[in-house]
Amino acid sequence: MSLNPFDLYDVASLLTEEERAVQESVARFTNERVLPIIGDCFDQGQFPKELISEVAEMGLLGATLPEQYGGSNLGYVSYGLICQELERGDSGLRSFVSVQSSLCMYPIYAYGSEEQRMRWLPDMAAGKVIGCFGLTESHGGSDPASMKTRATKDGDAWVINGSKMWITNAPMADIAIVWAHTEDGIQGFVIEKGTPGFTVQEIKKKMSLRASATGALFFDNVRVPDANRLPNVKGLKGPLGCLTQARYGITWGPIGAAQACLEEVLAYTKERILFGRPVAATQSAQIKMADMARRITASQLLSLQLGRLKEAGKMEPTQVSLAKWNNCRMAIDIARECRDLLGGAGITTEHAAIRHALNLESVITYEGTETVHQLVVGRELTGINAF
Ligand code: TGC
Ligand code: FAD
């Protein structure tokens, strides 16, 4: 076999030398440091905190930001490849990097003052300050404009009341980027751990993203200085702009999860002898695996072109919605089909398929559900807002 089964169209040949080097180094990290431990982390419901310093040393936190803020000044295709290779390990680790980079460092960089950038970004890039992003509230995450969290000006400070739900990294975060209604529209605030009235509760009993820490945030008359308000954006476009960054990376991540599942099932079906021949020698198994490769290949090309558009400053949110929808759907279907091809062996975390399938239930839900992204594309096509 001369083609790479996980890159049938030789997408690697479309990458620059730097992009290939980034992909190779993150792939090595995933193989050597993530895969040996991640099944146990998932079983135990633990995020592998011990990997944070290594991820930071590799320059994966705020990777696209300029070096003066601790970033690695990488292009967006490199960032996508980082997400892909991390999610080949586990969606939880990719989530950690997405939230830290796209949802926390990005708004400080894009909407913060120079003082705020210097105050937080270098320590965040070094993994010394961990962030979380509070937009969703319990009464309806798809409709963030309906948020009830409110910030009221009081002298040179703000008083924040409300709550946020389903917040990645919350239980271990040093700062929370919190979006709240104000007299002047929705604004973003950096709330530091330990601020009186600010509490965090871990969400337990998750069957998905078990190797990621998720929590709820509560604000009871939390007093925040005006110096912690992000001054350069007002309105829903602030948080939605962050989501566009994160969703872009998330289009790449599920490609890695799907590749991991296909790799596992290719090996398994060659070894598994049923009715006197390997399962891989049956027509139905080959058709299923060929179809997985077809969908993975299409998703790789979609994300690569999206990345090139982003690098050229031409990427539109609707294009991100199409790829987030397509690639999450592709990966969750493949993970479920791989679980099936593994038979009973597929129901334990000794194999990766069920872990990826369960994780992808979150990935297809967060950062805009599949329905939300379908309606964004439908609105673009028809010009009619169906929300
Ligand atoms: P609309 O009221 O029309 O627009 C408001 C303003 O925002 C602008 N805008 C965007 N800007 C940047 N990127 C986007 N994707 C944008 N979409 C809209 C828009 O131009 C407008 O600007 P202006 O200047 O006119 O005020 O809002 P809409 O109708 O477009 O939005 C509706 C809808 C449903 C698409 C939106 O509310 C939505 O996306 N809902 C889903 C919410 C969501 O995805 N939440 C995710 C929370 S964070 C998370 O899940 C993290 S998980 C992380 C992990 O663990 O990896
Ligand atoms: P709802 O919005 O209540 O949606 C329920 C159902 O209604 C869905 O099927 C949806 O598709 C459907 N629906 C919505 N609108 C329509 C419509 N117009 N027509 C038809 N159907 C519709 N949020 C953060 O802010 N920060 C985080 O770090 C974060 N991390 C997360 C981590 C995990 C593990 C999970 C599971 C979620 C996380 N979220 C986070 C929240 C996530 O963004 C929301 O779960 C998501 O936006 C959906 O909101 P919801 O759960 O309230 O569902």
Side-chain angles (χ1 to χ4, degrees):
M1 177 126 162
S2 56
L3 298 178
N4 175 351
F6 313 109
D7 186 9
L8 283 182
Y9 265 41
D10 199 12
V11 170
S13 69
L14 302 174
L15 304 177
T16 64
E17 218 168 280
E18 178 182 78
E19 289 161 351
R20 271 200 295 272
V22 169
Q23 180 172 19
E24 278 163 22
S25 75
V26 183
R28 203 162 40 245
F29 169 75
T30 293
N31 292 341
E32 291 172 5
R33 303 291 294 139
V34 181
L35 292 179
I37 61 165
I38 203 66
D40 286 345
C41 292
F42 186 94
D43 285 344
Q44 291 154 18
Q46 291 293 332
F47 173 75
K49 278 189 189 160
E50 65 274 22
L51 297 182
I52 294 177
S53 56
E54 291 178 56
V55 164
E57 268 163 38
M58 291 172 71
L60 307 188
L61 303 178
T64 57
L65 295 187
E67 284 166 10
Q68 74 201 90
Y69 303 115
S72 304
N73 211 16
L74 292 177
Y76 286 104
V77 169
S78 290
Y79 173 53
L81 291 162
I82 291 169
C83 291
Q84 180 181 308
E85 291 306 327
L86 290 176
E87 196 148 351
R88 196 167 54 76
D90 192 85
S91 306
L93 191 59
R94 197 271 307 137
S95 265
F96 169 79
V97 170
S98 292
V99 169
Q100 180 81 349
S101 302
S102 291
L103 295 182
C104 296
M105 296 177 74
Y106 171 78
I108 293 172
Y109 173 69
Y111 311 141
S113 64
E114 190 55 27
E115 194 203 341
Q116 290 172 334
R117 292 173 171 187
M118 292 315 295
R119 181 170 163 202
W120 285 302
L121 293 180
D123 281 346
M124 294 180 83
K128 291 180 190 154
V129 168
I130 304 303
C132 68
F133 176 89
L135 178 64
T136 303
E137 300 188 359
S138 56
H139 57 274
S142 299
D143 181 16
S146 72
M147 71 174 67
K148 294 177 182 161
T149 299
R150 204 165 174 88
T152 313
K153 190 92 197 281
D154 182 22
D156 61 355
W158 294 81
V159 178
I160 301 180
N161 281 290
S163 63
K164 298 286 173 182
M165 183 70 180
W166 300 117
I167 307 304
T168 300
N169 294 352
M172 58 187 187
D174 303 291
I175 59 169
I177 310 288
V178 174
W179 299 93
H181 272 301
T182 71
E183 261 184 8
D184 244 357
I186 290 171
Q187 298 201 63
F189 298 86
V190 184
I191 305 187
E192 290 163 281
K193 184 178 172 177
T195 307
F198 174 35
T199 49
V200 178
Q201 199 170 33
E202 181 157 13
I203 296 173
K204 305 222 179 206
K205 301 190 181 179
K206 284 186 303 171
M207 297 302 291
S208 173
L209 277 200
R210 287 182 52 75
S212 167
T214 317
L217 313 177
F218 298 94
F219 317 106
D220 180 9
N221 285 319
V222 176
R223 207 176 165 79
V224 176
D226 192 51
N228 285 33
R229 180 180 58 90
L230 299 174
N232 297 328
V233 79
K234 284 193 180 117
L236 196 57
K237 67 169 182 274
L240 291 184
C242 305
L243 296 186
T244 296
Q245 303 296 315
R247 288 168 178 173
Y248 162 73
I250 291 172
T251 75
W252 289 82
I255 297 170
Q259 287 172 322
C261 293
L262 176 58
E263 182 175 9
E264 178 174 76
V265 93
L266 275 173
Y268 186 85
T269 54
K270 281 186 202 162
E271 296 287 319
R272 188 76 170 167
I273 309 293
L274 295 173
F275 303 102
R277 60 182 171 169
V279 172
T282 67
Q283 291 187 350
S284 68
Q286 286 199 12
I287 290 169
K288 283 179 189 168
M289 294 189 291
D291 200 38
M292 292 178 201
R294 172 184 65 79
R295 284 174 281 166
I296 290 171
T297 303
S299 301
Q300 285 171 312
L301 292 168
L302 206 59
S303 280
L304 181 63
Q305 170 63 358
L306 192 66
R308 295 296 180 223
L309 287 171
K310 186 161 173 51
E311 288 180 338
K314 292 182 183 163
M315 185 186 82
E316 292 293 331
T318 304
Q319 295 167 327
V320 183
S321 282
L322 183 82
K324 201 269 182 183
W325 159 24
N326 183 78
N327 292 10
C328 290
R329 171 53 58 192
M330 169 281 296
I332 196 168
D333 287 348
I334 286 177
R336 288 170 178 166
E337 288 158 23
C338 287
R339 206 298 306 152
D340 173 64
L341 277 168
L342 294 167
I347 74 152
T348 79
T349 54
E350 292 292 317
H351 290 91
I354 196 160
R355 177 168 54 78
H356 284 299
L358 290 169
N359 283 340
L360 288 159
E361 294 288 348
S362 288
V363 181
I364 203 170
T365 298
Y366 65 35
E367 295 278 2
T369 64
E370 185 171 63
T371 306
V372 161
H373 293 296
Q374 288 167 331
L375 294 180
V376 168
V377 176
R379 181 170 64 182
E380 186 78 31
L381 297 181
T382 62
I384 301 168
N385 187 354
F387 285 107

